[in-house]
Amino acid sequence: RAIQMSRLKATGLKVGAPDLVLVHEGRFFAIELKAGTSRTASQEEVADRLHRAGAIYTVARSVDEVQAFLTANGVPLSARLRA
């Protein structure tokens, strides 16, 4: 894991960055994936900054929670690219 994190940091990934990010219709979404643990101080700080910047942020502990969050915010779960 340390080697993987080192490689990700070398690409510019910041500590505390959410696991999933997407933009849909001009809105920025950030999703932190957790497996029953609480967020780190870095994750709390990043979440705070994202909220202040207008991002829509959540913590999800399952695929169902991710799907529910996206659906509730009008993000389609499947889409086709438009030419």
Side-chain angles (χ1 to χ4, degrees):
R1 177 151 165 87
I3 293 172
Q4 180 185 20
M5 290 307 296
S6 178
R7 288 181 182 156
L8 290 172
K9 285 180 186 176
T11 66
L13 180 70
K14 300 293 182 194
V15 173
D19 297 301
L20 300 173
V21 295
L22 64 118
V23 176
H24 176 68
E25 295 183 351
R27 297 180 300 158
F28 183 85
F29 297 89
I31 304 171
E32 181 63 41
L33 303 173
K34 298 307 275 180
T37 58
S38 59
R39 293 186 293 180
T40 65
S42 296
Q43 290 169 331
E44 294 280 350
E45 181 182 342
V46 168
D48 216 30
R49 288 181 180 202
L50 288 170
H51 278 296
R52 283 186 273 134
I56 304 167
Y57 179 95
T58 195
V59 175
R61 290 180 168 76
S62 69
V63 172
D64 289 339
E65 287 184 13
V66 172
Q67 289 177 330
F69 169 74
L70 294 174
T71 300
N73 284 285
V75 179
L77 299 181
S78 64
R80 295 176 189 242
L81 293 176
R82 294 180 223 165

